[in-house]
Amino acid sequence: MELITVFTPTFNRAYILPQLYESLLRQNNKNFIWLIIDDGSSDNTNELVQSWINSNIINIQYHYKVNGGMHTAHNLAYNLINTELNMCIDSDDYLIDNAIEKILTFWGKNKKDSVGAIYALDATKNNKILGEKYPSDLKKFQGWGFEIVIITIIKFIKS
């Protein structure tokens, strides 16, 4: 059974979704579900995703809904996610090839009931960190009533 859901909200992104799909195909650990919430696309997103589902290479769950904005796609996703872990990857982003493996390995070694989130850094294709790099001595902090663990070994690459 899959331990993590990779959730992607999308709206008229059939032109860029293949980049994310290809990065998911390259994952060396395929123990994940890709949950796509289509927020009312009028392009060929549905047909594209159905072709990937039919290829049966990775586990894809696709849900079409009437356009309501990204927040409604997130709300629907969190009602549908049944895995212990989840992460949101935007439709114009993609993952480094071993991201799922790193997350699952990290979680296997550090799982605690008090941990409610894992934070990681975004970077460009040229490995330029987006935003501020975490302080080297910051490993975790308390927030929102639970512990948040910081890992800097995973980068979610922006397009």
Side-chain angles (χ1 to χ4, degrees):
M1 175 166 201
E2 291 86 356
L3 186 63
I4 187 168
T5 298
V6 176
F7 153 57
T8 302
T10 190
F11 176 73
N12 288 337
R13 293 296 186 102
Y15 70 95
I16 194 74
L17 268 174
Q19 175 180 253
L20 174 53
Y21 175 67
E22 292 295 326
S23 81
L24 294 173
L25 291 180
R26 288 190 308 271
Q27 292 303 303
N28 53 5
N29 184 327
K30 295 196 175 41
N31 189 20
F32 64 89
I33 296 168
W34 187 21
L35 172 62
I36 302 167
I37 304 295
D38 185 341
D39 191 31
S41 294
S42 58
D43 62 2
N44 66 324
T45 296
N46 184 316
E47 295 81 7
L48 181 64
V49 173
Q50 289 304 321
S51 73
W52 297 335
I53 291 170
N54 292 340
S55 70
N56 200 31
I57 300 171
I58 59 174
N59 185 345
I60 300 173
Q61 296 176 5
Y62 174 77
H63 295 270
Y64 179 89
K65 62 179 273 325
V66 174
N67 183 262
M70 186 182 288
H71 66 286
T72 64
H74 278 260
N75 291 341
L76 176 57
Y78 291 116
N79 284 326
L80 296 171
I81 293 170
N82 291 315
T83 55
E84 184 173 352
L85 302 172
N86 70 80
M87 62 190 294
C88 180
I89 301 295
D90 290 337
S91 55
D92 61 345
D93 294 345
Y94 60 95
L95 294 175
I96 59 173
D97 295 352
N98 59 352
I100 297 296
E101 178 184 350
K102 285 187 175 191
I103 292 167
L104 296 179
T105 299
F106 179 86
W107 187 243
K109 292 177 183 175
N110 297 282
K111 178 181 176 177
K112 293 190 288 186
D113 288 341
S114 63
V115 174
I118 299 172
Y119 279 37
L121 297 172
D122 287 349
T124 66
K125 290 179 181 179
N126 298 324
N127 283 331
K128 180 177 182 253
I129 299 296
L130 299 175
E132 297 293 320
K133 201 170 187 178
Y134 300 130
S136 59
D137 62 342
L138 180 63
K139 300 297 180 213
K140 60 185 172 181
F141 65 93
Q142 294 292 122
W144 303 295
F146 53 83
E147 184 178 340
I148 298 171
V149 179
I150 306 299
I151 51 177
T152 56
I153 57 170
I154 300 171
K155 295 181 209 169
F156 306 99
I157 308 297
K158 296 289 221 183
S159 59

